[in-house]
Amino acid sequence: MPESGPREFVVEADGGSRGNPGPAGYGAVVLDPASGEALAEAAEYLGTVTNNVAEYRGLLAGLRAAHALDPGARVHVRMDSKLVVEQMSGRWKIKHPDLKPLATTAARVFPPDQVTYEWIPRERNKHADRLANEAMDAGARGERWSPAASTAALDAGVRDAGVRDTGVRDTAARDAAAPDAAAEAAEAAEDTDVTAHPTAAEGAETTGTETAGTETAGTETTGTETTGTETAGAKADADARAARAVATPGWAPADLGAPATLVLLRHGETPLTPQKRFSGSGGSDPSLSAIGREQAERVAAALARRGTVQAVVASPLARTRETAGIVAARLGLDVTVEDGLRETDFGAWEGLTFAEVSERYPDDLNTWLASPEARPTGGGESFATTATRIAATRDKLVAAYAGRTVLLVTHVTPIKMLVRLALGAPLESLFRMELSAASLSAVAYYADGNASVRLFNDTSHLR
C-alpha cells in the first residue's frame, strides 16, 4: 500500500495579562483535526509581562508540544490574536523588541512550509483561553499550573460558539465577519494588544463569566459586554470531548491551500428507521421522530462546541431539512437545499423491510444485490445512477466551498457513495459499510483532486 501523508495537528494558543503588563499566563492545546481530541496541553504562569508576550509564549509552547508529538507533522495554528497571526504569517512587521526574539524562536520550531496560521474569534479559542486563565489563577495562589487539575477541555464545550448565555449574539462573532478595513493602519501601529484578563474578583472566565473583546485596526481592545453565568454539568467523558470537532478546515502543502471539507451528517431517526424499512426519495417522505429530533439537537450541540462548520447544505427531503434546520439554528447559519443530495429512489420497495422485499420480489432483490446497474422493482434508481448523481454533486459542492468546511445533511446512500468515491472503492463496498442515524463522517478534497477520509460513522455525540 502507498505510504500515508504526514500527520496533521491543530494548535490553539492564547495568552493574557491582567493589567498589561501585569500577572500573565499562557495556554496551548494540540488537537487531532479529525476527532477534536486534545493530544497535549500546556500552560504556565509568567509573572508580570504584556499580553502580546504571553500570546507569543503560548504559541511557542503549542508548537513545541506538537513538535514533541511528531516533528514531521503539518501544523495549523489557530489564535484569536490578529497581531500574532498576521506577524507570523509575514503580512505585518514585528516592531516591538520583546516580540522579535519570541517570533524568531517560534518560526524555527517547524520548517515554515509545515505551519499555517488562522485567526479565529475569541469564543472559538475557549480551550486555550481557559488554560491561560488557569495558569494565571494558579500563579495568583503561588502555585504551578497542574494538568491533572485542569478542567479547560470540559469548560470549553459548555456554551455555543458565538452565543452568550443570555441569548445575545457575541460581538466577537459579529466582528469576525466584518472586513478588516484598517489593516494598513494596524501594520504601521506599535505592537500593542490591550485585551486584559480580569482577576476572579473582576469576573474572570474561571468563575464562569466572560468579558468579550473587539478588534479595531489590528489592536485588540477590552470590550464592555459581560456574559451571564455559564451553565454547569457538561459531560466529562472522552466521547463528549472528541465530539467537539468532527472536521477542522484542513490544510495541505502551501501550493495546494486549504481543502474543501465536507462534514457528512446522516439525518436523525424517523419512524421507519428502527424498523429498517427502505426509505428513499420515492416514498412517503417521513419527518423525524421524537428520538430523531433529540439526536439532531445533540449533534448540533457537538458541532457548536467546535465552531468549524461554515455552511449547511441539505437534501430536499423532510427528514434532512428538519435535521439541518435544528443544527443550523444552533450554529447561526442558513440552510441551502441541494437536490443532488437526495436519497436513492427505491421504487416499489419504499416502506418495506428487507425481509418483505425478499418475500415479494426475490429475483429483483437478488439481481439488485449482485449488480449496481440493477434497479429496484418498479423503476427505482440504480446505485450506478446514484453514483453519477453524487459525483456531480460532489464536484459542484467542492468548487463552491473550496477552502471551507460545509455540513452536508443527507442520507445513507449519498454518504456511503461520497466515502466510496474518496477511497476509490468499488460500488459493491456500499454493502460493507454501516452508517447510523445522526452519525458524522468527513472527507477533505484538495486542489490537486486528492481526497482524504477524516471520519466515518462517528456517534460519540449521541452517548
Side-chain angles (χ1 to χ4, degrees):
M1 293 179 64
E3 294 183 358
S4 59
R7 199 174 179 187
E8 299 177 348
F9 297 134
V10 169
V11 168
E12 294 181 349
D14 197 15
S17 174
R18 294 169 177 170
N20 199 41
Y26 70 73
V29 57
V30 182
L31 301 169
D32 179 283
S35 69
E37 179 183 2
L39 304 176
E41 291 180 324
E44 184 181 4
Y45 177 68
L46 299 174
T48 300
V49 300
T50 66
N51 197 68
N52 292 147
V53 168
E55 288 171 337
Y56 265 101
R57 289 289 300 274
L59 168 64
L60 186 56
L63 290 172
R64 285 172 171 168
H67 190 273
L69 291 170
D70 188 346
R74 294 192 177 279
V75 179
H76 188 61
V77 177
R78 295 151 45 97
M79 298 182 67
D80 59 40
S81 171
K82 188 79 167 178
L83 183 80
V84 175
V85 168
E86 293 298 316
Q87 288 179 341
M88 291 303 297
S89 299
R91 292 185 289 269
W92 290 1
K93 295 179 180 178
I94 304 173
K95 302 174 183 178
H96 199 286
D98 291 341
L99 303 185
K100 287 183 178 180
L102 292 171
T104 299
T105 302
R108 291 174 177 169
V109 177
F110 284 91
D113 63 349
Q114 290 179 216
V115 184
T116 56
Y117 289 86
E118 176 190 9
W119 178 84
I120 58 175
R122 186 182 175 203
E123 74 272 11
R124 287 177 54 191
N125 201 26
K126 291 180 179 180
H127 193 153
D129 182 81
R130 279 157 173 72
L131 287 170
N133 273 286
E134 285 182 354
M136 286 184 276
D137 289 346
R141 298 190 301 268
E143 301 171 358
R144 294 175 62 88
W145 174 79
S146 169
S150 175
T151 62
L154 177 62
D155 294 342
V158 170
R159 288 177 298 157
D160 298 344
V163 182
R164 297 186 178 281
D165 293 330
T166 56
V168 180
R169 177 63 56 180
D170 195 321
T171 57
R174 176 200 65 203
D175 295 341
D180 188 0
E184 294 183 6
E187 289 191 64
E190 290 295 323
D191 302 327
T192 57
D193 182 325
V194 293
T195 303
H197 286 245
T199 63
E202 294 168 336
E205 291 191 338
T206 50
T207 66
T209 59
E210 178 182 34
T211 301
T214 59
E215 282 199 334
T216 304
T219 301
E220 298 174 357
T221 57
T222 305
T224 58
E225 295 185 298
T226 304
T227 66
T229 303
E230 292 184 349
T231 58
K235 293 176 64 177
D237 55 47
D239 287 335
R241 184 168 60 191
R244 290 184 302 115
V246 175
T248 299
W251 61 93
D255 57 327
L256 295 182
T261 301
L262 306 186
V263 181
L264 312 173
L265 171 60
R266 184 189 171 194
H267 60 81
E269 281 191 12
T270 74
L272 301 182
T273 306
Q275 301 174 24
K276 297 188 180 298
R277 295 183 179 275
F278 282 93
S279 183
S281 57
S284 60
D285 195 15
S287 297
L288 296 180
S289 63
I291 291 176
R293 287 189 290 274
E294 180 182 356
Q295 290 171 333
E297 293 285 358
R298 291 194 177 208
V299 73
L303 292 175
R305 284 194 291 270
R306 186 58 183 171
T308 56
V309 171
Q310 297 164 290
V312 179
V313 180
S315 152
L317 300 184
R319 53 195 181 274
T320 43
R321 286 189 289 106
E322 188 175 356
T323 302
I326 291 171
V327 176
R330 190 71 175 264
L331 301 180
L333 299 171
D334 295 325
V335 177
T336 299
V337 175
E338 170 55 56
D339 185 66
L341 293 176
R342 69 186 184 277
E343 181 58 285
T344 299
D345 183 347
F346 293 111
W349 302 351
E350 294 279 359
L352 303 180
T353 66
F354 189 88
E356 289 169 342
V357 172
S358 180
E359 180 181 350
R360 299 182 193 182
Y361 311 104
D363 293 339
D364 289 350
L365 179 61
N366 290 334
T367 302
W368 180 75
L369 292 173
S371 172
E373 302 289 341
R375 294 185 176 189
T377 308
E381 189 178 20
S382 71
F383 278 153
T385 302
T386 302
T388 301
R389 167 167 58 86
I390 295 301
T393 303
R394 172 204 60 191
D395 294 344
K396 174 182 175 181
L397 293 173
V398 167
Y401 296 98
R404 302 173 66 195
T405 296
V406 56
L407 179 70
L408 306 186
V409 187
T410 180
H411 311 266
V412 170
T413 309
I415 293 174
K416 288 184 177 182
M417 199 69 73
L418 287 166
V419 171
R420 179 197 74 82
L421 290 168
L423 295 175
L427 277 166
E428 291 78 6
S429 64
L430 297 178
F431 298 112
R432 293 170 173 83
M433 301 184 205
E434 175 68 25
L435 202 67
S436 304
S439 64
L440 286 163
S441 303
V443 182
Y445 296 89
Y446 292 91
D448 63 356
N450 286 319
S452 173
V453 176
R454 300 285 184 85
L455 194 69
F456 183 73
N457 198 35
D458 176 28
T459 57
S460 60
H461 47 278
L462 302 179
R463 298 172 190 165

